[in-house]
Amino acid sequence: MKNLYTPPRPEPIDEFIEVLAGSGRTRVERIISRGQASPEGFWYDQDEHEFVAVLQGAARLRLQAPDEEVVLGPGDHLTIHAHRRHRVEWTSPDEPTIWLAVFYADASD
Amino acid sequence: MKNLYTPPRPEPIDEFIEVLAGSGRTRVERIISRGQASPEGFWYDQDEHEFVAVLQGAARLRLQAPDEEVVLGPGDHLTIHAHRRHRVEWTSPDEPTIWLAVFYADASD
């Protein structure tokens, strides 16, 4: 058994991504951000759908089509459909932001 | 956007299960227990793997093969492989226990 709030040792300075579970095109990840944001002009454009929740900290996402800005705090979650372009505009510089993300594909893919 | 800690309205008395995301054999669920446990002698025996985390509250699981008892508090998570029999022995009577569960199958299934 492991804990989502336990920091990895040694504590990483960069953004930290850990696959917790999954198989095939389903993947459960813990992501820990420390003030990181997506590079200027970078947009994620993923083949998989993504369910994402913030468990600790805070973050601001920007999404396209439709254009939307979303601020997430502990417990907030949303689903970003495959190929909906999005980027992380901001994460809290004051504490680690812990994300839980589940990537998955359509059954027919 | 929704929040994992926001209680459903009206607040259910029974155990509450809500599918938050998913497709095909991948399913993200929020489960809220209020002191419920599995019925005496009942064991879950699932075709899917299950990643499960407790986000709030506390719970005790019993698993077979090998026989194991696991006590979970906020942030604790484990993965229960398909057909590993398990039951919920206890959930906190003092506060709602909020689970986040991700069910998924092997890529070849």
Side-chain angles (χ1 to χ4, degrees):
Chain A
M1 193 175 61
K2 299 209 291 184
N3 191 287
L4 294 165
Y5 299 107
T6 303
R9 297 287 175 213
E11 285 211 39
I13 298 161
D14 292 339
E15 198 163 60
F16 173 84
I17 301 178
E18 180 185 20
V19 176
L20 302 179
S23 179
R25 293 184 65 183
T26 300
R27 206 165 69 251
V28 180
E29 288 184 357
R30 176 172 76 145
I31 302 161
I32 305 179
S33 310
R34 295 166 181 278
Q36 285 94 354
S38 302
E40 186 70 31
F42 174 86
W43 294 86
Y44 291 97
D45 182 356
Q46 300 161 178
D47 289 337
E48 279 83 27
H49 306 302
E50 179 180 354
F51 166 90
V52 64
V54 164
L55 300 181
Q56 177 188 292
R60 196 172 68 242
L61 291 180
R62 180 143 215 114
L63 302 106
Q64 294 184 354
D67 188 56
E68 199 178 350
E69 188 172 77
V70 181
V71 177
L72 298 106
D76 289 333
H77 63 89
L78 77 164
T79 298
I80 304 169
H81 286 279
H83 295 296
R84 185 173 183 197
R85 285 155 61 95
H86 60 283
R87 47 179 276 114
V88 180
E89 295 271 6
W90 173 89
T91 59
S92 171
D94 301 326
E95 60 173 331
T97 296
I98 303 178
W99 311 77
L100 190 77
V102 182
F103 299 88
Y104 60 97
D106 284 328
S108 56
D109 284 5
Chain B
M1 195 176 59
K2 300 210 291 184
N3 192 287
L4 295 165
Y5 300 106
T6 303
R9 298 285 176 214
E11 286 211 38
I13 297 161
D14 292 338
E15 198 163 59
F16 173 84
I17 301 178
E18 180 186 19
V19 177
L20 302 179
S23 177
R25 294 183 66 183
T26 300
R27 207 165 69 251
V28 181
E29 287 184 0
R30 177 172 75 147
I31 302 161
I32 304 178
S33 310
R34 297 167 179 278
Q36 285 94 355
S38 302
E40 186 71 30
F42 173 85
W43 294 87
Y44 290 97
D45 183 356
Q46 300 162 179
D47 289 337
E48 279 84 26
H49 306 302
E50 180 180 354
F51 165 90
V52 65
V54 164
L55 299 182
Q56 177 188 291
R60 196 172 67 242
L61 291 180
R62 181 143 215 117
L63 303 105
Q64 294 184 354
D67 189 57
E68 199 179 351
E69 189 171 77
V70 181
V71 176
L72 299 107
D76 289 333
H77 63 88
L78 77 164
T79 297
I80 305 170
H81 286 279
H83 296 296
R84 185 173 182 195
R85 286 155 60 95
H86 61 281
R87 48 180 275 114
V88 180
E89 295 271 4
W90 174 88
T91 57
S92 171
D94 301 325
E95 60 173 332
T97 296
I98 303 178
W99 311 77
L100 189 76
V102 182
F103 299 89
Y104 60 98
D106 284 328
S108 58
D109 283 7

